[in-house]
Amino acid sequence: MSKIFIALVIITVLISASHQNPENSILLSDDYSGLSRGPFNSEVGAHMEYHYVPEGKPRGNWAISSFRSNLPASWYVREINGKKTLWQKGVNPNNHWHPIMVAGDELWQNYTIKTSFGLLENEKQSGIVFRYQNDRCYYFVGVKQNVAYLKMVKHATAFHKPFEKELASQPFEYKVGEDINVTIEVNGNHIVASFENGPSFEAIDDTYDQGKVGFLADGPAYFGAIEVSSSAQDKTKFESHRAETNREEQSLRDKNPKPVLWKSIKTKDFGVGRNLRFGDLTKDGTIDVLIGQVVHHGPKDRNSELSCLTAMTFDGEKLWQIGKPDPWKNNLTSDVAFQIHDLDNDGVNEVIYCMNQKLIVADASTGKTKYEIPTPLTPGGKPTSGGQNIFERILGDCLYFCDLQGQGYDGDIILKDRYAYVWAFDSKLKLLWKSECNTGHYPYAYDVDKDGKDELMMGYTLFDDNGDKLWSLDKTISDHADGVAIVKFNSDEEPRLLCAASDEGMFFADMSGNVTNHYYIGHVQNPAIANFRDDKPGLESVSVNYWGNQGIIHLYDSDNKIYHEFEPNQYGSMCLPLNWTGKSEEFYLLNTNVDIGGAYDGRGRKVLDFPDDGHPDMCNAVMDITGDSRDEIVTWDPNEIWVYTQDDSPKSGKLYKPKRNPLYNYSNYQTSVSLPGWNE
């Protein structure tokens, strides 16, 4: 063997060894030099519950993972001690959510974090999160009141009581305003964390084996440059896993029809956010659009009403308009009362709406009033100064139609205020009954006792057709219902209640009001029920979180048990069931943004992307417009409306045609129910 050959072998071994050095396998290195100083993003508030707004998107490597109305825009890029940092400026008064910024990939497994942070006050906890699943499930290393901690955090076991398992803790004297340097290593179930000039922790825990990294600060704190590294072998394993996952999802998308533009129309001056309704206005059997601009009287969204109604076709023909359009009134963070419905069952639709403290039934083709009544007097006899009913009469929070009288069609009207009172009217606007409860946002009707008349689920209360309360969970469940439905999850079983209950999480109950499953998984809303998976019996459900933990999605089987959770982005969504292929498995649509939007399947895989063609992406709706049984996707902002259909549309033959919530019961807060059916 020659000396030259031996030398080459030695050099090769040395090069290979250097590649095994974790410092040479960087997953993330960020000193924030690419971020401009100032607010990380602007306040988005309730708009992001069911709108895509660019103010909430990631910047650089980072995304704001959680916020609430008391700390809506508290993260800044700020220069401290001559270096750029990520700074959280607010004091979080809650203990069931935490301001968090995240970066990285959910498939990262074994890695080392080197970073620094500093507290600007000593009362609240701040530190590093790692193997982050979502902002309710992660490991945490940090400090609070001169104690250092290593914790495992995983959802909650009761209302507002997060589960935290302390893996280690030690006293640690540090100075407010000075850097705290920390190194964290995770390898399999082995965790090692060490503070420079402070304690070191070592723990074994099997809860999480992969996940992102991030910063958590319940009080004013700053975070310095971060480096996340791994061995070359672990980085190669991650890259292989990521590439395979991307290939799998791309393969699924390639097999599905592509979205192509069908129609687009301009809505300048009279356009809105989510405040559209759909139905036949012209008596020609096709779907038209009703656009409702809103005025907010405050406080917040407690007293909102229509200010302008504009009717138009999908060809852009304006049919009629009531009120004066105003482009400054184009956003909406609550429901208001207007719908398109054949109220008297004569085959021709009416428009039913509330405006100027009147409940009005109008001709759908002209907008001319047919008959009207004053809206109900404000309960209690006088308006409130700062509550939800500040006028002599209620403004009307939403409209819902059902069959309380057993007529065989949905000719009865449910009208409610924002949170406390409900009224039932017949088709001629004669009062049938009124009641009080924690109304939640939007009701759901079902003939529970099979007497030909609907019962009404309003919030946590089930009303009989005559307005009697059959049962109520108002005294046992806190917060308010963000979405309810009564459904047979398995065709051979009795129906059950699904309730997305805001900070109470998600629960299911039987028709006697007994809670069968309760999941304290954060602020849950916008649920949907459909056949998302053929390999599972019955119907599946999906929900999304918002306030305090936006973007966490849970999937439930027909026994109402969680079988998958993930966090594809940090947005709320309507999670609308999407019959895109005409096959029996439906998807659910999150939003139509090119980068972070798309539709997902019942396994949490992204199966549909949207073209990079300049389309609006603030809002979306799903319905069959062209008539081949499959859904079109309507996407819009205040300036224009676009409609996408499939690139193989129209398609003939036997196609899936699910039975959905009727378009006349459309709401920002509906539970979307899609029951199996076929066109033949």
Side-chain angles (χ1 to χ4, degrees), residues 136-148:
R136 297 176 60 82
C137 300
Y138 50 83
Y139 293 112
F140 169 81
V141 166
V143 299
K144 176 184 177 181
Q145 297 178 0
N146 295 314
V147 178

Side-chain angles (χ1 to χ4, degrees), residues 326-378:
D326 183 347
W328 289 91
K329 295 177 180 176
N330 57 25
N331 288 323
L332 175 69
T333 59
S334 63
D335 268 348
V336 288
F338 75 114
Q339 302 284 11
I340 304 168
H341 181 38
D342 181 5
L343 186 60
D344 53 12
N345 201 38
D346 67 351
V348 179
N349 280 334
E350 285 77 39
V351 169
I352 305 94
Y353 66 100
C354 290
M355 187 182 284
N356 300 320
Q357 299 174 55
K358 295 178 181 179
L359 176 57
I360 301 167
V361 178
D363 182 277
S365 61
T366 65
K368 292 182 179 179
T369 298
K370 297 176 70 172
Y371 49 96
E372 65 184 41
I373 61 168
T375 56
L377 289 167
T378 290

Side-chain angles (χ1 to χ4, degrees), residues 525-581:
Q525 55 189 62
N526 293 122
I529 303 167
N531 179 49
F532 295 122
R533 287 183 61 165
D534 283 341
D535 64 332
K536 289 183 173 291
L539 301 176
E540 291 73 50
S541 309
V542 62
S543 66
V544 66
N545 285 23
Y546 193 62
W547 294 107
N549 30 77
Q550 68 273 14
I552 306 175
I553 290 176
H554 286 86
L555 289 154
Y556 314 78
D557 63 21
S558 60
D559 292 326
N560 309 140
K561 291 180 169 55
I562 294 173
Y563 70 84
H564 186 59
E565 65 178 318
F566 68 117
E567 188 184 85
N569 57 53
Q570 278 69 42
Y571 282 80
S573 171
M574 290 291 291
C575 287
L576 296 171
L578 175 64
N579 176 28
W580 188 250
T581 66

Side-chain angles (χ1 to χ4, degrees), residues 257-270:
K258 303 298 182 292
V260 295
L261 182 63
W262 179 65
K263 296 244 178 109
S264 65
I265 51 180
K266 300 292 185 182
T267 56
K268 188 178 180 181
D269 295 336
F270 57 87

Side-chain angles (χ1 to χ4, degrees), residues 118-136:
L119 278 66
L120 300 178
E121 62 92 33
N122 196 27
E123 294 301 312
K124 297 283 188 174
Q125 70 172 351
S126 295
I128 315 304
V129 298
F130 55 100
R131 284 192 173 167
Y132 166 103
Q133 312 294 296
N134 55 61
D135 49 54
R136 297 176 60 82

Side-chain angles (χ1 to χ4, degrees), residues 283-510:
K283 310 176 190 178
D284 65 355
T286 62
I287 292 179
D288 303 303
V289 187
L290 187 61
I291 303 171
Q293 287 188 334
V294 174
V295 56
H296 294 299
H297 299 289
K300 296 183 178 179
D301 55 6
R302 299 298 189 268
N303 296 274
S304 304
E305 65 175 333
L306 286 171
S307 60
C308 179
L309 271 178
T310 304
M312 65 188 309
T313 70
F314 272 114
D315 289 323
E317 177 189 359
K318 188 186 294 185
L319 302 172
W320 50 265
Q321 191 172 72
I322 296 171
K324 185 177 180 180
D326 183 347
W328 289 91
K329 295 177 180 176
N330 57 25
N331 288 323
L332 175 69
T333 59
S334 63
D335 268 348
V336 288
F338 75 114
Q339 302 284 11
I340 304 168
H341 181 38
D342 181 5
L343 186 60
D344 53 12
N345 201 38
D346 67 351
V348 179
N349 280 334
E350 285 77 39
V351 169
I352 305 94
Y353 66 100
C354 290
M355 187 182 284
N356 300 320
Q357 299 174 55
K358 295 178 181 179
L359 176 57
I360 301 167
V361 178
D363 182 277
S365 61
T366 65
K368 292 182 179 179
T369 298
K370 297 176 70 172
Y371 49 96
E372 65 184 41
I373 61 168
T375 56
L377 289 167
T378 290
K382 62 179 181 179
T384 60
S385 59
Q388 60 179 318
N389 293 309
I390 63 174
F391 296 101
E392 179 184 4
R393 295 182 177 275
I394 72 163
L395 300 180
D397 182 69
C398 70
L399 288 170
Y400 182 88
F401 301 95
C402 56
D403 185 6
L404 299 174
Q405 301 181 83
Q407 301 176 95
Y409 63 94
D410 291 341
D412 300 314
I413 305 169
I414 302 298
L415 176 68
K416 62 181 281 289
D417 67 1
R418 186 64 173 156
Y419 286 118
Y421 298 93
V422 56
W423 294 260
F425 299 89
D426 68 12
S427 61
K428 297 301 181 183
L429 308 187
K430 177 184 176 182
L431 182 67
L432 298 175
W433 51 263
K434 60 182 178 181
S435 193
E436 180 180 3
C437 68
N438 181 353
T439 62
H441 282 310
Y442 204 64
Y444 194 90
Y446 194 99
D447 183 7
V448 175
D449 57 11
K450 303 176 184 177
D451 67 349
K453 301 177 182 179
D454 283 336
E455 280 67 51
L456 186 75
M457 193 72 211
M458 176 65 75
Y460 305 136
T461 301
L462 183 65
F463 289 94
D464 204 353
D465 54 82
N466 62 3
D468 290 344
K469 292 183 180 180
L470 298 174
W471 51 263
S472 179
L473 300 176
D474 279 356
K475 294 183 179 180
T476 58
I477 305 291
S478 303
D479 217 318
H480 62 265
D482 260 332
V484 297
I486 298 172
V487 172
K488 283 189 175 184
F489 291 92
N490 292 290
S491 59
D492 59 345
E493 297 178 354
E494 291 300 307
R496 277 169 270 157
L497 167 69
L498 171 152
C499 182
S502 302
D503 280 346
E504 279 274 7
M506 173 75 93
F507 73 84
F508 299 83
D510 64 23

Side-chain angles (χ1 to χ4, degrees), residues 147-159:
V147 178
Y149 296 93
L150 168 61
K151 299 178 184 178
M152 185 277 291
V153 180
K154 188 173 185 179
H155 283 309
T157 55
F159 183 53

